[in-house]
Amino acid sequence: MNDDIQGTKPEIKPKSKLSKIWLLPIVALIIGLGMVYNNWKNQGVQIEVSFDNAEGIIAEKTLVKYLDVDIGIVNEVGFGEGRQSIVIGIEIEKEMRDLLTSDSKFWVVKPRIGADGISGLGTVLSGAYITISPGNSETLSTQFPGLNQAPVTSPTADGLFISLTSKGGKPPKVGSPVIYRGFEVGKVEATQFDPRTRTAGFGVFINAPYDTLVTTNTFFWNAGGISVTATAEGIKVDVTTLETLISGGIQFDVPEELSLGEVVAQSHSFTLYDSWDSVQNRREYDYFEYAILVEDSVSGLSKGAPVEYRGIRIGTVESPHLAFDEPVEGEPPQGQDPRIPVIVRIEPGRVYVGKNVDMAAFDAIIKDGITEGMVARIQNANLITGSLKVSLDFVGEPVANVETYGPYPVIPSRRAGLSILTEQLEAVLAKVNQLPLDEILQNADQAITDASGAFDSAQSAFIGIEKSMQELETTLSGFQPDSQIYDSLDETMTEMQNTLRSLQPLINDLSNQPNSLIFGANQPTDVEPTAGGN
Amino acid sequence: MTTTLSRLCAGLCACILVSACANAPLPQSKIYVLDDLPDRVSNDATALIAINKIELPDYLNQRKLVLRQLDQQILIANYHIWGDDLPDSIRRVLAHELSNNGQEYRVVNSCSACGELTIRVDHFYPTDSGEAVLAGSYTYSQDEAQIYKQFSFKRILREDGYDEAVYQMRQLLLELSNNIAVSIAEN
């Protein structure tokens, strides 16, 4: 071993300029660069969504999902301009870029309790998350307004969007169902109230294929709550569904008397009626107005009351009375004429249902009827509520011309049967009031007293008669076959018979020998029977 | 003179009247009853029978005994008399005998909802041929059922006289009661 070390010359190698120790950091650098590149390559799309608040949203934790699949994550939560809103920075996976259309909707999914039930229960454990409903737009965007709750209808849903206008009644809420003959075919998407027109507007979406049910002759009415109708046939209670009972709803249909009509286009407008009855009664028709100068009271006559011809509705009361501060041109001011002007609408469409009506021709018919004696009367429509209606009939005298009241042609009026009856009743009561009732009552009282005395006397007599009858019955009962007197009489009669029978021989002897009574009968001894066999 | 004549007439009338009393002595009357000495009758029976009526022809429905002769004549005795009405006597005898017969029922004068017995006696007398005769019919009704039977009994007189005749007539009533009892039992 010592010889090997002394005979070898050291080999001198030049020192490498780069130390091997640098391999490690170089490899690390390469790996790091690779990771950076990979990260850069896989980096998602950064978007911003603004919400009213950041409830349930946590940076680097809250996920963004589409169809329950994670597609992104919230990486920043901050205030918006003026600190009036929250801006949330979200990184969406690159592959999901095509979902970020300009009309895409974002909202936070968290536990909610609504009329349609409880949703988002899964987020109780997992935490709230943000979900997206992609739109149809072709342009992409990186900034979106967040919704407070899930949209009623998906932007991509197929169907018909219409608007409804209502002037009253219980308004349906967003999400309330739209029902066609018991089936839910859509939902209320939006509600708003216009202070200027004082009307409520509703955006309604009808899902396909039911959108074809909405035609030009379709009528919409409020279906919420309970409808109670009292008619001559009884009381009818109508509740559509439990959901409509709680949160309201809308129904639609085409009245039977109308044709189906044509399918409407998107964003067509309809009127929302209070109920199905108001669809029947308060449907808007073309009309022309008449005036009726009423001598009776119009208390109970309201706007919208029916105008009927022999029970057939042909119009509606427009104004039950003109205000005193609304003078009609050409007419004396109110107060000088005791009659009350009632303005009515004659609506030919109610008679010619579903048909084209010649308004001028119908107007001429009405005027001809007036000249032939057609008059209007205010009559009771409902004895319970006291509501009135206008009834037209040919019960008046023919007139030469149709009078006018300002711009309105006048239908002559006649007092109704009830008012005439009232007047007659008042006359009768006046006559009754003039009768000497006190004297009559005194005489009647005296007659009653006399009759009462006579009745008492009769009653006493009856009591006496009854008592006599009882005594007679008692007496007669004493002579019944089983009574003692009867038995005594019977016994006495029997004794008499026996006595007479006993006297019979004596009588015979006396008849044969009368002196036997004194000198005795010559009676021989008896012949007695003899023993048998003799 | 006048006084003497009137006295003479009065005396003559008195003699005539007194002579009416000068008759031969009359035979002594005999009075008969059909009832036996009263026996002690048990009152335990619950079934009741009422004897409604005892009917007799007129010639028997009187107090004197009768004797029928061979020539269909009826001799009514003058000195042999029933002590009681014959229907009542027959009723009492039959009631006594029927009540003592088996003692399944009691005979009463009247009752409701019970058996009713109606008897018609057509012949009840001794005859000249030495017999005592009892004949007639009776009807017994109870509820809806009714029995009608005719009877005819005879007994030979062992001795002369009404005494024997009455005795045998009593025995005839006993035979009738036995006949009625048998009919009731068969119903």
Side-chain angles (χ1 to χ4, degrees):
Chain A
M1 187 178 290
N2 289 331
D3 292 336
D4 291 336
I5 294 175
Q6 290 180 350
T8 308
K9 286 185 179 180
E11 185 178 353
I12 300 173
K13 293 182 179 177
K15 186 179 180 180
S16 173
K17 291 183 179 180
L18 185 62
S19 172
K20 292 182 182 176
I21 195 66
W22 286 101
L23 287 177
L24 190 60
I26 291 172
V27 171
L29 180 62
I30 293 172
I31 293 173
L33 289 174
M35 291 176 65
V36 170
Y37 172 77
N38 190 33
N39 190 29
W40 172 80
K41 185 178 178 182
N42 294 328
Q43 190 177 13
V45 179
Q46 190 69 29
I47 63 173
E48 290 181 346
V49 181
S50 58
F51 290 95
D52 293 338
N53 57 69
E55 180 183 357
I57 301 174
I58 302 173
E60 302 300 336
K61 185 175 180 182
T62 301
L63 299 174
V64 179
K65 298 187 180 184
Y66 174 62
L67 299 180
D68 283 330
V69 176
D70 299 343
I71 61 169
I73 189 169
V74 172
N75 51 22
E76 185 181 0
V77 178
F79 289 101
E81 189 173 332
R83 295 181 183 174
Q84 299 297 320
S85 62
I86 299 297
V87 176
I88 296 175
I90 297 174
E91 181 180 340
I92 301 294
E93 294 177 2
K94 191 184 294 186
E95 293 81 13
M96 298 296 145
R97 177 191 292 271
D98 58 330
L99 298 178
L100 303 175
T101 59
S102 60
D103 56 349
S104 294
K105 309 292 183 190
F106 288 84
W107 66 92
V108 180
V109 178
K110 54 187 176 181
R112 296 178 192 274
I113 298 176
D116 54 350
I118 301 174
S119 61
L121 274 182
T123 59
V124 173
L125 296 177
S126 63
Y129 62 90
I130 298 172
T131 189
I132 179 176
S133 175
N136 292 326
S137 175
E138 295 180 351
T139 58
L140 300 179
S141 176
T142 58
Q143 291 185 338
F144 303 90
L147 302 178
N148 292 328
Q149 58 185 15
V152 176
T153 308
S154 170
T156 58
D158 187 17
L160 174 68
F161 181 84
I162 58 174
S163 60
L164 304 179
T165 305
S166 171
K167 295 184 179 180
K170 181 183 176 184
K173 300 177 182 177
V174 173
S176 295
V178 178
I179 297 171
Y180 177 77
R181 297 186 181 181
F183 287 91
E184 183 176 335
V185 298
K187 282 194 181 295
V188 175
E189 283 201 331
T191 63
Q192 65 178 24
F193 182 75
D194 187 350
R196 290 185 302 108
T197 60
R198 300 191 180 190
T199 58
F202 305 95
V204 172
F205 187 83
I206 308 295
N207 298 322
Y210 310 110
D211 52 344
T212 57
L213 298 172
V214 182
T215 64
T216 52
N217 286 337
T218 298
F219 288 84
F220 291 79
W221 67 93
N222 201 323
I226 299 176
S227 171
V228 179
T229 307
T231 64
E233 297 176 353
I235 297 176
K236 178 183 174 184
V237 179
D238 187 14
V239 177
T240 308
T241 63
L242 182 61
E243 184 179 4
T244 60
L245 176 66
I246 297 173
S247 62
I250 296 174
Q251 275 188 288
F252 68 91
D253 207 335
V254 176
E256 290 181 356
E257 62 271 18
L258 299 178
S259 62
L260 290 178
E262 299 176 353
V263 177
V264 300
Q266 291 285 346
S267 302
H268 191 86
S269 296
F270 293 91
T271 300
L272 179 63
Y273 291 87
D274 296 338
S275 62
W276 174 247
D277 288 338
S278 61
V279 171
Q280 298 290 332
N281 299 327
R282 299 185 180 180
R283 197 184 311 169
E284 294 179 354
Y285 298 89
D286 293 334
Y287 63 90
F288 40 84
E289 293 180 329
Y290 278 81
I292 302 173
L293 303 178
V294 178
E295 297 179 1
D296 294 328
S297 169
V298 294
S299 173
L301 184 65
S302 58
K303 180 177 180 179
V307 177
E308 297 177 351
Y309 170 71
R310 295 183 177 178
I312 302 172
R313 183 165 182 177
I314 63 169
T316 307
V317 173
E318 169 60 23
S319 173
H321 55 82
L322 286 184
F324 284 93
D325 58 351
E326 295 181 16
V328 178
E329 182 179 354
E331 297 297 330
Q334 286 294 329
Q336 295 186 6
D337 188 345
R339 298 176 299 177
I340 300 173
V342 176
I343 308 302
V344 299
R345 292 182 179 182
I346 303 298
E347 300 160 336
R350 292 185 180 272
V351 180
Y352 301 103
V353 179
K355 301 176 184 177
N356 294 326
V357 181
D358 186 345
M359 298 294 290
F362 198 87
D363 189 22
I365 292 174
I366 295 296
K367 289 186 167 66
D368 289 342
I370 292 172
T371 58
E372 293 175 2
M374 186 174 72
V375 297
R377 294 177 293 182
I378 307 299
Q379 293 181 334
N380 278 317
N382 191 315
L383 289 175
I384 297 176
T385 61
S387 60
L388 302 177
K389 65 179 179 181
V390 176
S391 177
L392 305 179
D393 205 345
F394 289 90
V395 293
E397 299 295 328
V399 295
N401 299 312
V402 177
E403 296 180 359
T404 58
Y405 182 81
Y408 308 105
V410 173
I411 301 176
S413 69
R414 177 68 60 90
R415 300 187 69 180
L418 185 60
S419 64
I420 295 174
L421 182 65
T422 304
E423 184 179 334
Q424 291 176 346
L425 187 61
E426 289 177 354
V428 170
L429 289 175
K431 288 186 178 178
V432 170
N433 196 29
Q434 293 175 358
L435 293 175
L437 292 178
D438 292 337
E439 185 179 344
I440 293 173
L441 287 174
Q442 279 183 355
N443 293 336
D445 186 47
Q446 184 63 37
I448 291 171
T449 304
D450 294 341
S452 175
F455 180 76
D456 291 338
S457 300
Q459 194 172 15
S460 301
F462 280 127
I463 291 174
I465 291 173
E466 184 180 358
K467 190 175 180 182
S468 300
M469 292 299 292
Q470 287 177 351
E471 291 175 353
L472 181 63
E473 185 179 353
T474 304
T475 303
L476 290 176
S477 66
F479 291 91
Q480 295 297 321
D482 57 348
S483 65
Q484 188 176 0
I485 295 177
Y486 183 88
D487 291 339
S488 298
L489 283 174
D490 184 56
E491 189 176 343
T492 302
M493 293 301 295
T494 305
E495 289 287 340
M496 286 180 64
Q497 287 179 354
N498 293 336
T499 303
L500 288 173
R501 200 176 292 119
S502 301
L503 289 176
Q504 188 66 37
L506 175 62
I507 293 171
N508 291 335
D509 292 340
L510 287 177
S511 66
N512 293 330
Q513 190 175 353
N515 62 351
S516 62
L517 189 64
I518 299 174
F519 295 104
N522 229 358
Q523 294 182 347
T525 57
D526 291 336
V527 176
E528 298 194 22
T530 57
N534 291 340
Chain B
M1 182 64 175
T2 305
T3 304
T4 305
L5 184 62
S6 62
R7 288 179 181 174
L8 185 63
C9 291
L12 185 64
C13 291
C15 289
I16 293 171
L17 290 172
V18 170
S19 67
C21 302
N23 286 332
L26 296 175
Q28 189 177 4
S29 297
K30 284 190 174 181
I31 301 175
Y32 297 93
V33 292
L34 287 172
D35 304 71
D36 288 342
L37 288 174
D39 292 338
R40 183 175 180 180
V41 178
S42 173
N43 292 322
D44 293 338
T46 57
L48 301 178
I49 296 177
I51 299 179
N52 269 351
K53 191 186 294 184
I54 305 291
E55 296 178 356
L56 291 172
D58 290 340
Y59 70 92
L60 290 179
N61 199 6
Q62 41 84 26
R63 286 290 183 92
K64 296 180 179 180
L65 275 70
V66 302
L67 171 66
R68 178 169 178 163
Q69 291 185 320
L70 294 174
D71 56 355
Q72 311 285 41
Q73 244 186 5
I74 296 294
L75 291 180
I76 298 176
N78 295 315
Y79 303 104
H80 296 83
I81 305 168
W82 293 112
D84 193 6
D85 290 337
L86 190 55
D88 293 341
S89 295
I90 294 174
R91 179 195 298 272
R92 285 198 300 274
V93 170
L94 289 178
H96 174 78
E97 295 301 336
L98 288 174
S99 296
N100 281 334
N101 192 314
Q103 302 188 7
E104 295 177 354
Y105 44 79
R106 287 185 294 131
V107 180
V108 294
N109 289 332
S110 63
C111 60
S112 59
C114 58
E116 295 180 351
L117 189 61
T118 302
I119 303 172
R120 175 169 179 82
V121 177
D122 296 324
H123 307 277
F124 190 45
Y125 44 69
T127 65
D128 209 8
S129 59
E131 292 175 336
V133 176
L134 172 60
S137 63
Y138 65 85
T139 304
Y140 176 72
S141 307
Q142 185 162 19
D143 299 330
E144 300 295 327
Q146 191 177 65
I147 301 173
Y148 172 78
K149 277 196 174 179
Q150 293 178 323
F151 59 88
S152 177
F153 306 108
K154 292 181 180 179
R155 293 183 72 88
I156 304 296
L157 301 179
R158 297 169 300 177
E159 298 174 358
D160 296 340
Y162 276 111
D163 295 352
E164 175 63 13
V166 169
Y167 174 80
Q168 295 301 331
M169 289 168 74
R170 174 69 178 82
Q171 299 306 308
L172 287 174
L173 289 178
L174 178 59
E175 287 188 37
L176 175 59
S177 69
N178 291 336
N179 185 282
I180 293 173
V182 170
S183 298
I184 293 174
E186 291 174 353
N187 184 25

